[in-house]
Amino acid sequence: MSGKYVYTFGDGKAEGQADMKLLLGGKGANLAEMSNLGIPVPAGFTISTEVCTQYYENNNAYADAVIEQVKAGVAHIEKIMGVTFGDTHNPLLVSVRSGAPASMPGMMDTVLNLGLNDDTVQGIIEQSGNPRFGWDSYRRFVQMYGDVVMGLKPESKEEEDPFEIIIEQVKEKRGVQLDTELTADDLKELVSLFKEEIKKRTGQDFPTDPWEQLWGAISAVFGSWNNPRAITYRKLNNIPADWGTAVNVMAMVYGNMGDDCATGVAFTRDPATGEKIFYGEFLVNAQGEDVVAGIRTPQPINDNTRRDPSEKTLQELMPEAYNDLVNVYQKLEAHYKDMQDIEFTIQKGKLWMLQTRTGKRTAAAAVRIAVEMFEEGLIDKETAVMRVEPEQLDQLLHPTFDPNADKKVIARGLPASPGAATGRIVFHADDAEEWAARGEDVILVRIETSPEDIGGMNVARGILTQRGGMTSHAAVVARGMGTCCVAGCSALVIDYKERTMTVDGTAYKEGDWISLDGSEGTVIEGKVPTVDPELSGNFGKLMSWADEIRTLNVRTNADTPHDSEVARQFGAEGIGLCRTEHMFFEGDRIKAVREMILADDEAGRRKALDKLLPYQRDDFYGIFKAMHDLPVTVRTLDPPLHEFLPHEEANQKEMAEEMGISVDEVKAKVEALHEFNPMLGHRGCRLGITYPEITEMQARAIMEAACKLTSEGVRVFPEIMIPLVGSKTELAHQKKVVKATAEKVMEETGVSVDYLVGTMIEIPRAALTANEIAEEAEFFSFGTNDLTQMTFGFSRDDAGTFLKIYDEKDILPDDPFQSLDQTGVGQLVEMGVRKGRSTKPDLKTGICGEHGGDPRSIEFCYRAGLNYVSCSPYRVPIARLAAAQAVLKNKK
Amino acid sequence: MSGKYVYTFGDGKAEGQADMKLLLGGKGANLAEMSNLGIPVPAGFTISTEVCTQYYENNNAYADAVIEQVKAGVAHIEKIMGVTFGDTHNPLLVSVRSGAPASMPGMMDTVLNLGLNDDTVQGIIEQSGNPRFGWDSYRRFVQMYGDVVMGLKPESKEEEDPFEIIIEQVKEKRGVQLDTELTADDLKELVSLFKEEIKKRTGQDFPTDPWEQLWGAISAVFGSWNNPRAITYRKLNNIPADWGTAVNVMAMVYGNMGDDCATGVAFTRDPATGEKIFYGEFLVNAQGEDVVAGIRTPQPINDNTRRDPSEKTLQELMPEAYNDLVNVYQKLEAHYKDMQDIEFTIQKGKLWMLQTRTGKRTAAAAVRIAVEMFEEGLIDKETAVMRVEPEQLDQLLHPTFDPNADKKVIARGLPASPGAATGRIVFHADDAEEWAARGEDVILVRIETSPEDIGGMNVARGILTQRGGMTSHAAVVARGMGTCCVAGCSALVIDYKERTMTVDGTAYKEGDWISLDGSEGTVIEGKVPTVDPELSGNFGKLMSWADEIRTLNVRTNADTPHDSEVARQFGAEGIGLCRTEHMFFEGDRIKAVREMILADDEAGRRKALDKLLPYQRDDFYGIFKAMHDLPVTVRTLDPPLHEFLPHEEANQKEMAEEMGISVDEVKAKVEALHEFNPMLGHRGCRLGITYPEITEMQARAIMEAACKLTSEGVRVFPEIMIPLVGSKTELAHQKKVVKATAEKVMEETGVSVDYLVGTMIEIPRAALTANEIAEEAEFFSFGTNDLTQMTFGFSRDDAGTFLKIYDEKDILPDDPFQSLDQTGVGQLVEMGVRKGRSTKPDLKTGICGEHGGDPRSIEFCYRAGLNYVSCSPYRVPIARLAAAQAVLKNKK
């Protein structure tokens, strides 16, 4: 604790700066930085995040020092802006905004126009010469303060805001339709009606003392750090709850004082494509919230995004202010060396900057901006590589609509977030979650979205809104998620009650299929086939830089030649996990597998295995060929045998007929193989030890395929992997079987092949005794799926029931099946590597669980000293980038 | 390698001594020791165990040095005995015997009378003046050598020894019945017939060269180290395979040269009772093998065990030799300070000692001998405590069958829980309860048991199951209860519908009497009288000495006041594990439990829990009272809820009727609670976190009982234990619920009780993150059952199938559910203690898995620094003794 809690800014200097985000929040730190850069920012101050923590620890009270420093902060604003807080002639009005270290758009509360009361409103009217403006500001303030600070905002979306009801009543009484048609007197009446409503509902008078107002607003903002949406958002985005938010108090400037006023938002490059154009939207005579809320459709600031020649751009309407804005944006991008998302207000022709931050962008834009900024000499390669979130690449690796498919476009909106999506219409976020939970693909269709819809947006394949621009809530959030979004599609008529969406007289009901093209902004009837993505030149460049930097190899999990080829195109450097059990189900093979299971003795099993051998050999031949010159890790049979038998009566009958035995025999076998906990049962190497002939057949199939390819001049590197090993003796047993078979095959064929025999480390005991196991193993591959199951004692098939509750009750920071639990499971991985290498210093180690494609887990694997990660084909580029970033993050 | 392979002895001195057992084997070391003590031992030499290892490593060949030293050894014997190997007038004959570092009685091979051929037999006849003796010795030698060295001994017991067939033929031809009726000529004929048979079967001539004979016999003994019985015996007795055996070559002495010759075995104290009497048997004119073989009935050596006045004792027949023997046995016992098992031969009136070793004894004898030797001043207390195998005590703690009763054993299963029980067959737990309630003794016979059967198991005298191993539900629960149990008796065919149990075609009906011997695993027809254990004064003395030495506390696992009292009598110092789930099954409670499970919401669950509260409170009241002044660890609910619902159609119907709901509702709930791997599912603290009201009810019941007793002046120390914790946050959540409830109860009652909240460490992750968990825990209790399951990835319920094969294929040294796997699971225990204490230096730690009663595991717990072990009541004395031995074994 420094004893300093309040940091002022304005008039070309500031007490804070950009790198103080943890203390001042993103908004506060950047306001200070802009101020330091001489960019016009209304004077203000930031109350640090430390005060937020204290606020919660001290039962919502403030230290004397905080109170003193806030007072001094207000005096600082008064001095610079030449106004006085509470003055009846020239009053200071302020905005009070949240600002956390990480961006949490729309999640917390804001109060504008603070400082107004029946006296100071006269001062505002005096200063602006505009009574309607004065009363409108006052009306907005009472409404906002009533909602946010005094708690009148309805908890659920179904209830209407009580203030909006009053506005509707007054409008009806006046016989007008629009807010703008209300007169100064109407607005004055609203202020008094609002205050009555507040008194009625809370029993409290609306505070008239500006200082009381100020502390109420500050506390409301701190309090909003722990509102349910904020908590949900933090959870989704892995933002620590103990960071807290800062509070920014800043002199009000007005974009709604008249037609020489405006307010807008802009990006220094196109956030959808990454193109180097200045890009933004604005509204004349409006407050900032009007732009984001999507009530009026904003105009483009310049020709870059003008859709219609009738639209007036800011450049045309206010060329001077526009030029100032251009200077500011160029300065900001050059200074921050990254694409900025900025907010501005023009008050009576003068430009004020209210915010700058790193702009959210699509994956395509992220890649293009990173590569182009490097080529412009703005950043170096390493920075470029760090600029793209690996997880985001997912957007680029997935299919788009087949350009040749027939498409019946039924409406056009804004291309708010790229991608292609097909799904069934739902109209409520809750429904989206419910439908998605049962496996449906859904498109969430809303008039507009709000932060409460976040859960439904998260699970939707695509989002379609009737209102709102490229920077509307729906658009910003969808881009962040990489979810396809078409916004502002005004041709839609949405009826939430009837659950219909009507376009040109055609009604689409809940459950109907539609498709969205988020790159074009089109809405298409029915389902549309998709085609594979084309990986652009910028993507290739970025990937090649990542490859230069990374030290971890990236392999893939693939069981077929096709998957192997896809993965190779994505840059896979081998197969880290080729499961063999999937191969047992195809066509006639399952019959032979069942024959083996039913056999009474080794001879019977061998007879059945002989039938499987040629199939398996062909499988491996195809995969080794596709992966020529690269290593292929093949895992011997893993699942319990009962998985190959039918469990339903009808299928059992069918099997009995096919095999020429009685249903009772089938049932008896199923019964005999039944296990209470199959996950911990007779599977993995336990099978191979019980029935060595299975391992023998598989080793033979692998080696025969490898020898054949070798004799054909194809280089193959088979790595035979024994699953579920918990002690050295298990591996030794299976290795002996494999080696003996391999030697025999090589002798028979006269061909020599380099091959390895290693093991999965997926049982806690294997990690604990890795030094012993390494005596037998030629490589380790960490099977973190099973390792996580056993280390936590969680059955992945069953954990859903309680992991949901764990998530609600904050028991675990992450789902350990999604991101490797570094604290617990990670210790076993590190131990496995360390102990294994204590026996064999150059032991090859990798990971082949789901975690191999998770960026955070990949960074862990890098630190743990693994040689490679292996993941599904579509995640290979993500892993390559994450592996490069792991090197860079751990450089110091 | 010392380069010395052969160690001579005889004539009052020796190159070896008693503490060289690892090198010379037990027999060789003790022969050397006796020689050093001046006790008459035929001259001889020992080939060390190192040679055995070399023999296997060098493909059954010997180093030159070994060959040289054996030659010198033979010369040493010749010199002392005044005879010459191969001499036709005064030949040296030798015995060649195995002798491993640990006793493996009868497992390996022996050759006697070696050195005989058609020439040297004449020398023997010349020396003894007894042609029949000469030819009989020769006949015996050819037969033994043919069997052992030349491989004529049949592999299976079913086949007859080919030499015995020939003897029978000759006896028939001669018209005689006994071997002793055969004349010298008959025996001569046998020698020649034997040789012919050998030639016929092996194609080889019988070797006539004594040296060839000698090397053949030595190799046969080394080879017998790896015969199947020896391997099995080592496995059962945990004898390392790489120890090897030594070979003892010794001059023959004869107890069968005439009526002034004899041979016998003796114990320096009674091996059955431990009484201090010299005790033994002998045969006049016989070789040693005749005594052990049981062909002729041996006579008592003295009056101590004379059954019949007509019997002639050695003391009467050969008083001088007997006196020599008395001197020798006294010298030996005083020297070895332990009860000795000795073998002697009297040749023409002269006493020769052939062997001395520590005598095997019953548990009762072990205790008595240890205590009396201390009282005689022969050994100190610590030695006395080390003299009794803790595991052996089990024999003293349970009722046993009258050893003189007639018993018809009808089947054999696993000795799952020791003791003896007689009762009437019932097949259902409900019936057991009903029958027991009207005073019947019942044996509960089940295919396998489940938690629903707990009530019936509790009242049964014994439990018999068809399926399941030593760690099956039936076995574990029965051991916990101290109830006799025979498990996995696969010969049974149980028909629940007909209420019959069929064995080998004989059907036993409900109500029929059977008896179980849980120590032997036998099922006996009808009633067998039992005798209660007498815990003699010696037992109490030994236990008190163990208590003086041990530092580990010993607690018990007990769920009822009765069990608590039993354990207390056995010396338990508290309860280490009181499971609460068993309490949920009794009487009406199960109805309330099911009502809770079926409830749709918290209010419904609370209503049902309110009904359970008074029962639980009474349970704890009884247990705390029984355990006054001692700590009681109560574990909150652990098993998955589906265990409380019926799984069979009929029971589901019954439940539906009782609860007034439809069967479909019951089925739907059972279905909803079904899990793929319940072991890793919704259980333990995961339940308490999902339904905190359950934990709350249990905490309330515990604290209400504790407060009530405190106000009654009884001192109670409840320790509330949260199961299945894997992360600190889980424990923190549950601890908060417990603490809040406890505070409330103490406030309500106005009574203050010292209580602790701690956790099981039974999930690998808990051990890995023990430093974090210790921040919340006031104690740790290692639940090594589950910890073993998860560390190995073995489901205890399913592992039977492959653990059997693992045992056959030597994959694991021990069943890890019986004896703690120190290499793997042990690391987690040590880590848990170390990390836990790094946070809380004086953290109390204990173990409450089955391993808490296993002596080897207890020693491990001592070394790991645990504060206590907890085991089933009947194992408490075993644990006390093992804990004392752990201190002594780790003293250096």
Side-chain angles (χ1 to χ4, degrees), chain B residues 14 19 73-74 101 107 197 276 280 317 329 374 376 392 424 462 541 580 594 728 750 763 813 840 845 847:
Chain B
D19 63 8
V74 170
M107 294 300 137
E197 184 72 16
K276 199 185 176 193
L317 292 175
Y329 103 73
F374 166 75
E376 292 161 21
Q392 239 186 342
R424 303 178 69 182
K541 275 185 201 166
T580 52
R594 288 172 176 174
K728 176 184 141 183
I763 285 194
K840 281 208 178 125
T845 58
I847 183 177

Side-chain angles (χ1 to χ4, degrees), chain B residues 464-476:
Chain B
L464 170 62
T465 67
Q466 186 208 328
R467 284 196 217 150
M470 290 295 283
T471 53
S472 62
H473 178 264
V476 171

